Amino acid sequence: MTSPSYGVKGKPVSRIADALRPLVDAPYIPLVALVLVALIQLQLVFDRAINWDEFHFYRQVELFAKGTLEYPLQTLHVRVFQWLPGLDGTGVDHIVIARIFMFACEIFTLCGITLLATRFTNLKTGFICALAYLSSGFVMQHGFSFRTDPIITALTMGALCILGCTRFRGVWLALFGALIAAAAMFSIKIVLWAPAFAGLAWWRWNEEGQGVSLMLRVMLATLFTALFFAVIYLYHSAGVTVDDSAGKVLQNSAGKMFFFGIPIYWALMLKFVSMSEVLVLTILCFPVALYASRLNKHAKVAMVGLFLPLSALFFYFNTLPYFYAFMLPPVVVACSVPLSMLRDRYGAALPAIAFFAMAFGLWVKEDQGVIDRQRELQAAAHTIFPEGVSYFDFSGFLPDQDKSNAFMTLWGTEIYLKGGAPSMKSVMAQKPVPLVIELDDMFTAMFQPDDPASYFLPQDAAALRDTYQPFWGPFWLAGKTVASDAQQANVEFLVPGPYTLSGGAIEFDGRRAYPGDVIAIDRGRHRLSALEGKEAHLTWGDHLKKPEQAPPPRPYWTYF
């Protein structure tokens, strides 16, 4: 008989462990940790800076509320949120309200992770898997963002749970089809979850005896999916006339969706590792844990299928941080295998505390003052331009106003530089665009005379530098400076409209003008000269007033 191992004061260690086991392995510990992490993330819903993509998605809602639908695919969110523009407050406030809905979608996803992980392990491990997802770096920061990702993640996770946890008969088949169809209308990238569905289908088919019944039900569910997709598409696109828009969107997305070679966002992958160490270690342990597990071979196939969406990081182009919130749910369900082993050995408390500590550390480091600066800038813009304005910028920072250039992400800039979007100078030839919002580094650098302006077409960079001048904070207005010794300069104006004269007097096209005068200037070239030897300034607008307060300090974004 083996002698017991003794610890302090002669008490057997095994007895101490047995006494503590109900505490360290209690199911409420990971559940409490999960609730606490959800609560601190809920605070970020209101206080984390709005990301540029969120402004872009909300701008699409504003356009739809005004009767414009850019294209009928991947824009279903505009119908869901078409009521937002009618609310009081700034665009930032509206996006925060939409984030609450996204947070609810994330909670639904957490429930799906728990349910599906429990199907293969147990409830305690299911809670730990949900906690592993929620506490991971990019999910903690972006899981509630106003994008389509939280919606499609919840819908697709719901469909995955129907396949894995229900009888998959009758009304479940119709619901499965409705969820997949709706998710596809929000974004076609749900195809990246195909291995997860294939793995679960293989497992169910073998569990049911490899008969034809499941295959027939899968075919019926596919038919429901196609039917619901057609209905939603026809409803969403009704009354919208866009020349081959669906084909163009699909062609553009497919052409840019995949790549071969080194991931363009490899640095962000390393950042995810640094922010999600515990989850990454769990992912690395998955192959060995799966091999050593007692799951039957068909369940192991299902786990591999659930794990495979992780491979999208190495062939899918747009793997920015918010993509991780979409990609990870089936992966963490697969990680129920190593997490179950960890819980069996050390109890539920250890992984729960580790994941909670990871999330809490991210929350503490968050700069929660940026969103107030964004609100202040939007309020200032509406004070300066009470009747609205057309503008150029990076993201669509004023969603309810007329953004007149492309969405300048890496993808959007590439399309713009290749001629897939109108040049800014050509837009200026068609309508007045008096404002540039210099929120992003690409615009800041472009306004430096020695910068190559690699993000802009040469004619656009030249036109912007020659046309716009600092007005208040990041707002640059169309204007001209007339030097004190300027003599009959022939100056081109690309932005027509009223211009207010300040500083010194000038002669404009043979007529004298004095400080305080408002001059109506047409597009084209005009003769300017200084009078009285004083520098003069022409600023677009009729005595536009700067806000009394100083502009808020930078930064205006929380970068990835």
Side-chain angles (χ1 to χ4, degrees):
M1 180 176 177
T2 307
S3 301
S5 174
Y6 286 89
V8 226
K9 297 183 180 179
K11 292 185 179 179
V13 172
S14 60
R15 292 179 185 175
I16 298 175
D18 289 342
L20 293 177
R21 189 72 179 181
L23 176 63
V24 300
D25 200 28
Y28 65 79
I29 293 179
L31 177 58
V32 168
L34 180 61
V35 170
L36 289 176
V37 173
L39 288 175
I40 62 176
Q41 192 194 48
L42 179 59
Q43 190 255 333
L44 294 181
V45 168
F46 298 93
D47 292 337
R48 180 172 169 80
I50 307 299
N51 183 260
W52 43 86
D53 271 4
E54 296 182 272
F55 285 115
H56 172 68
F57 279 107
Y58 182 57
R59 174 177 169 267
Q60 291 180 323
V61 175
E62 286 278 0
L63 288 173
F64 184 71
K66 296 172 183 176
T68 300
L69 182 63
E70 291 183 322
Y71 36 79
L73 287 176
Q74 303 193 116
T75 57
L76 191 57
H77 63 284
V78 300
R79 287 197 179 272
V80 177
F81 295 100
Q82 60 183 314
W83 48 272
L84 270 179
L87 302 180
D88 293 332
T90 65
V92 169
D93 298 319
H94 296 172
I95 292 172
V96 167
I97 293 171
R99 280 178 168 184
I100 298 172
F101 178 86
M102 300 302 175
F103 180 76
C105 290
E106 187 183 46
I107 297 299
F108 185 88
T109 298
L110 293 174
C111 294
I113 291 171
T114 304
L115 180 63
L116 195 55
T118 301
R119 182 73 173 84
F120 290 94
T121 54
N122 52 59
L123 183 60
K124 284 179 277 193
T125 305
F127 287 143
I128 295 171
C129 289
L131 178 60
Y133 170 75
L134 184 60
S135 61
S136 62
F138 290 154
V139 178
M140 188 69 184
Q141 294 177 335
H142 301 280
F144 54 83
S145 293
F146 182 47
R147 298 176 173 90
T148 57
D149 297 81
I151 302 175
I152 63 172
T153 305
L155 292 172
T156 315
M157 194 67 211
L160 203 61
C161 286
I162 289 174
L163 178 58
C165 303
T166 72
R167 296 176 63 250
F168 202 58
R169 298 174 184 273
V171 70
W172 290 116
L173 301 180
L175 183 57
F176 178 93
L179 291 174
I180 293 295
M185 278 295 296
F186 281 107
S187 176
I188 61 174
K189 70 183 177 188
I190 64 166
V191 298
L192 298 174
W193 278 34
F197 284 94
L200 280 185
W202 172 269
W203 168 71
R204 285 206 63 146
W205 182 61
N206 284 278
E207 288 290 304
E208 294 185 11
Q210 300 182 351
V212 298
S213 174
L214 181 65
M215 289 187 282
L216 292 174
R217 281 178 279 144
V218 168
M219 292 174 61
L220 183 58
T222 304
L223 182 62
F224 276 125
T225 301
L227 177 63
F228 281 119
F229 183 88
V231 170
I232 297 171
Y233 177 83
L234 291 173
Y235 166 73
H236 183 49
S237 60
V240 178
T241 304
V242 184
D243 294 336
D244 195 30
S245 62
K248 289 179 181 178
V249 172
L250 284 174
Q251 182 180 1
N252 187 30
S253 298
K256 196 64 179 176
M257 183 178 289
F258 305 111
F259 72 91
F260 297 97
I262 299 174
I264 191 169
Y265 296 121
W266 62 267
L268 290 173
M269 293 171 62
L270 295 180
K271 184 174 182 180
F272 173 76
V273 171
S274 70
M275 299 167 68
S276 314
E277 300 95 333
V278 184
L279 177 58
V280 171
L281 286 173
T282 306
I283 289 171
L284 293 175
C285 291
F286 170 78
V288 176
L290 184 65
Y291 177 79
S293 74
R294 296 178 181 178
L295 293 173
N296 64 49
K297 61 181 181 180
H298 304 304
K300 289 183 178 181
V301 169
M303 288 298 170
V304 171
L306 291 165
F307 191 76
L308 279 178
L310 183 69
S311 64
L313 293 173
F314 301 97
F315 63 84
Y316 179 68
F317 177 83
N318 202 24
T319 55
L320 289 163
Y322 51 82
F323 173 76
Y324 289 72
F326 162 74
M327 173 268 295
L328 281 174
V331 178
V332 296
V333 172
C335 286
S336 63
V337 178
L339 287 173
S340 179
M341 293 178 176
L342 180 65
R343 186 201 62 79
D344 288 342
R345 186 172 181 83
Y346 298 105
L350 179 63
I353 292 172
F355 285 124
F356 173 79
M358 191 171 64
F360 186 78
L362 292 170
W363 177 73
V364 168
K365 295 176 183 177
E366 186 71 34
D367 182 355
Q368 298 178 21
V370 177
I371 192 170
D372 292 327
R373 298 172 213 158
Q374 294 175 329
R375 280 195 182 94
E376 188 176 341
L377 291 177
Q378 285 194 340
H382 286 88
T383 298
I384 299 169
F385 308 102
E387 297 180 3
V389 67
S390 297
Y391 66 97
F392 296 133
D393 84 332
F394 166 63
S395 65
F397 182 72
L398 303 179
D400 56 334
Q401 305 299 321
D402 178 28
K403 176 176 169 62
S404 300
N405 64 313
F407 183 34
M408 301 287 281
T409 58
L410 185 62
W411 189 342
T413 300
E414 183 178 334
I415 294 172
Y416 151 74
L417 291 175
K418 290 181 177 179
S423 70
M424 298 181 198
K425 190 170 183 179
S426 68
V427 172
M428 295 166 75
Q430 298 170 9
K431 63 180 180 181
V433 185
L435 175 65
V436 168
I437 307 177
E438 177 240 329
L439 292 177
D440 192 77
D441 291 344
M442 66 169 62
F443 278 89
T444 303
M446 182 273 302
F447 279 121
Q448 306 302 316
D450 56 346
D451 183 81
S454 56
Y455 293 102
F456 298 85
L457 295 172
Q459 66 268 28
D460 286 348
L464 295 176
R465 288 168 175 166
D466 187 57
T467 299
Y468 299 94
Q469 297 183 339
F471 181 72
W472 182 85
F475 300 149
W476 292 57
L477 278 180
K480 300 291 182 183
T481 296
V482 185
S484 58
D485 57 351
Q487 299 294 321
Q488 289 296 320
N490 193 13
V491 178
E492 184 178 20
F493 285 79
L494 298 178
V495 181
Y499 282 75
T500 301
L501 180 63
S502 61
I506 63 170
E507 184 175 288
F508 181 85
D509 285 347
R511 295 170 294 174
R512 290 181 172 244
Y514 297 92
D517 287 353
V518 177
I519 307 171
I521 300 179
D522 296 327
R523 185 181 288 110
R525 293 194 169 273
H526 299 271
R527 298 190 311 277
L528 290 174
S529 60
L531 301 175
E532 304 171 355
K534 293 178 65 177
E535 185 178 84
H537 302 276
L538 284 167
T539 304
W540 188 92
D542 186 350
H543 293 91
L544 296 181
K545 298 294 184 182
K546 299 180 182 179
E548 295 181 1
Q549 73 277 15
R554 294 177 183 269
Y556 302 135
W557 302 118
T558 296
Y559 289 94
F560 288 146

